[in-house]
Amino acid sequence: MNQVLLITVSGRDQPGITSALAQVLSTFAATVLDIGQAVIHDQLTLGLMVALPADRQRLEQQVGERLQALGMSVTFDAVAAADYQRWVEQQGKPRHIITLLARRVDAEQIAAVTEVTRQAGLNIDKISRLSGRLALDQLAQPGRASIEFSARGEPLDEGEFRAQLMELATRFDVDVALQRDTIYRRNRRLVVFDMDSTLIDAEVIDELAKEAGVGAQVAAITERAMRGELDFNDSFRERLGLLAGLDANVLPKVAARLQLNEGATHLLKTLRQLGYKTAIVSGGFDYFARHLQQLLGVDYIYANQLEITAGKVTGRVTGTIIDGQRKAQLLRELAAREGVVLEQVIAVGDGANDLPMLAIAGLGIAFRAKPLVAASAQQSISQLGLDAILYLLGYSDKDTQSLTAQ
């Protein structure tokens, strides 16, 4: 009967370690049941679980001699048949991904996240750093950091687990995302963005209002609408009416001063190179959506069309107002057009009128959102830029830097 043996190798990383170990194992007709390796600051830890037909003592001697000659330490642990069977049975259990996003990750944050994960009944079996390496003289500066925890099992109470993670996010000024690790996480194909206060750091209607001399009035209505305190359509018509008579020549001026939100350029460039389709679905105006389409290479745009007569804004839009329900409908239509299921769609927004599309997308992300939206969305990013979305998809800085350098 086969014996199951866990072999753990550690020491300074160098070429040929795995090759040397595998060559010895091959002479004993060993079957590799599991293998994993990690390298931190040139220190390697390599583990192999193998099934051996016989002669464990001779194998341990030969493996030990070969690896010690390379300056490596090695340990051998027998695995009982019952323990191995329990390990095999774990492979069908659900998996979850917990992603910690912060300007800087410290031990207290990791301790808190991993403790509530333990309390939820999940077992963390893999930890990866997604963000790039930091030089020592950069430690005191605000940066970007992300750690991904892969955990096995079903939370005892998923609602309570999410609430605890949200409390930690607030306490430590970090973001913590919880996702089921399904096939769709690695197979998203379409990303739908809101525009105002999501891709750009302003509400365009407020900027137009400043040009019309009614900035304070419109901004107050916008803020209440985005918090969900007012009906979007009614508030939109009210704000539009205040723009009546505005000279259309100010539109290029307003477009020129719009600022992209942090990470937008990097995110859109990376998504394009990865083969994603992108769309802007906005309750703002098509003139500015087209401006961003040219700037960022967005595939589709849907936004309200300002009615302009004799060079003046009339205070109305042509066609159907794009409100929350219309955004969700357009997301469905785009998914059908691209031939993908909703689970393969990512939606990103910040306001109450984005909630319907965030709710139906496979991954709905509230970006620097109003409290109502952040609390209601599947995921929330408030500490980092838009390109932190790449971390939620499992991409590391190393992955994306090599991609965008091509």
Side-chain angles (χ1 to χ4, degrees):
M1 182 176 177
N2 284 338
Q3 306 173 64
V4 179
L5 190 65
L6 177 61
I7 305 170
T8 305
V9 180
S10 60
R12 182 163 291 279
D13 187 32
Q14 58 187 289
I17 301 298
T18 306
S19 173
L21 175 57
Q23 286 174 16
V24 176
L25 292 175
S26 67
T27 65
F28 288 83
T31 300
V32 177
L33 303 173
D34 197 13
I35 184 170
Q37 175 179 299
V39 177
I40 299 179
H41 193 61
D42 292 334
Q43 291 298 307
L44 174 145
T45 300
L46 167 65
L48 275 88
M49 187 182 291
V50 298
L52 300 172
D55 209 350
R56 169 185 165 185
Q57 185 175 0
R58 191 162 62 88
L59 177 140
E60 290 185 9
Q61 180 183 352
Q62 292 189 21
V63 167
E65 291 174 353
R66 184 72 177 271
L67 291 178
Q68 285 168 14
L70 294 172
M72 308 299 288
S73 299
V74 59
T75 60
F76 304 90
D77 295 287
V79 178
D83 290 337
Y84 176 73
Q85 183 58 33
R86 278 194 295 272
W87 176 77
V88 170
E89 291 169 356
Q90 292 289 319
Q91 64 187 339
K93 288 194 173 183
R95 302 190 66 83
H96 291 77
I97 299 295
I98 301 120
T99 311
L100 173 61
L101 307 169
R103 289 298 177 182
R104 183 178 63 194
V105 169
D106 60 36
E108 187 178 14
Q109 296 162 5
I110 293 176
V113 170
T114 53
E115 175 58 19
V116 299
T117 301
R118 181 194 67 79
Q119 293 173 3
L122 299 182
N123 181 48
I124 296 171
D125 56 13
K126 183 180 180 182
I127 303 175
S128 303
R129 173 180 52 83
L130 300 181
S131 49
R133 299 173 181 174
L134 282 177
L136 288 176
D137 59 4
Q138 296 176 315
L139 295 183
Q141 303 171 11
R144 45 182 282 140
S146 178
I147 306 294
E148 180 182 281
F149 305 87
S150 177
R152 185 176 62 245
E154 195 71 65
L156 299 173
D157 183 331
E158 185 167 338
E160 176 62 21
F161 186 30
R162 288 185 179 277
Q164 289 181 321
L165 292 176
M166 185 176 294
E167 188 277 326
L168 293 181
T170 301
R171 190 198 320 167
F172 293 110
D173 287 329
V174 299
D175 296 316
V176 187
L178 173 67
Q179 303 177 68
R180 284 187 175 269
D181 191 13
T182 69
I183 189 172
Y184 293 114
R185 181 171 181 256
R186 297 172 179 81
N187 195 28
R188 316 281 190 196
R189 303 315 312 152
L190 171 66
V191 189
V192 177
F193 295 95
D194 173 48
M195 178 173 67
D196 296 22
S197 296
T198 298
L199 282 175
I200 57 176
D201 69 350
E203 296 286 332
V204 170
I205 197 167
D206 293 351
E207 297 302 308
L208 293 175
K210 292 174 186 176
E211 299 294 329
V214 292
Q217 294 168 260
V218 169
I221 300 169
T222 300
E223 181 65 19
R224 292 184 64 199
M226 292 300 101
R227 290 200 304 262
E229 297 174 4
L230 300 173
D231 176 78
F232 179 82
N233 286 3
D234 290 344
S235 67
F236 186 63
R237 292 189 185 95
E238 183 180 356
R239 287 175 289 166
L240 268 177
L242 293 170
L243 300 182
L246 177 66
D247 195 318
N249 288 333
V250 305
L251 269 63
K253 174 184 174 183
V254 170
R257 70 171 183 248
L258 295 177
Q259 297 294 312
L260 293 171
N261 268 324
E262 177 189 0
T265 301
H266 179 225
L267 174 62
L268 269 294
K269 180 179 180 181
T270 304
L271 290 174
R272 191 165 56 248
Q273 290 182 288
L274 288 169
Y276 286 76
K277 293 292 185 178
T278 56
I280 293 173
V281 176
S282 172
F285 304 114
D286 63 335
Y287 180 91
F288 303 96
R290 289 197 302 271
H291 171 74
L292 290 183
Q293 183 178 36
Q294 295 176 353
L295 193 64
L296 296 171
V298 177
D299 295 294
Y300 303 104
I301 61 164
Y302 295 89
N304 294 305
Q305 298 180 29
L306 268 176
E307 184 181 79
I308 297 174
T309 301
K312 302 289 184 181
V313 173
T314 66
R316 297 183 297 273
V317 293
T318 60
T320 304
I321 292 175
I322 297 181
D323 59 6
Q325 296 306 317
R326 179 62 177 152
K327 285 188 173 189
Q329 179 185 352
L330 288 168
L331 184 147
R332 291 182 186 276
E333 292 175 4
L334 282 166
R337 180 171 179 173
E338 287 297 322
V340 300
V341 296
L342 291 177
E343 286 83 359
Q344 293 175 282
V345 181
I346 302 167
V348 189
D350 72 291
N353 64 322
D354 296 313
L355 281 174
M357 73 172 185
L358 298 186
I360 66 171
L363 179 61
I365 303 170
F367 177 72
R368 297 182 182 175
K370 315 308 184 279
L372 170 69
V373 182
S376 303
Q378 302 166 35
Q379 311 297 343
S380 178
I381 295 175
S382 60
Q383 299 301 318
L384 301 185
L386 277 167
D387 50 355
I389 291 171
L390 296 168
Y391 293 143
L392 299 190
L393 302 180
Y395 295 109
S396 68
D397 285 351
K398 181 180 178 181
D399 296 331
T400 59
Q401 286 167 4
S402 63
L403 182 68
T404 54
Q406 293 174 5

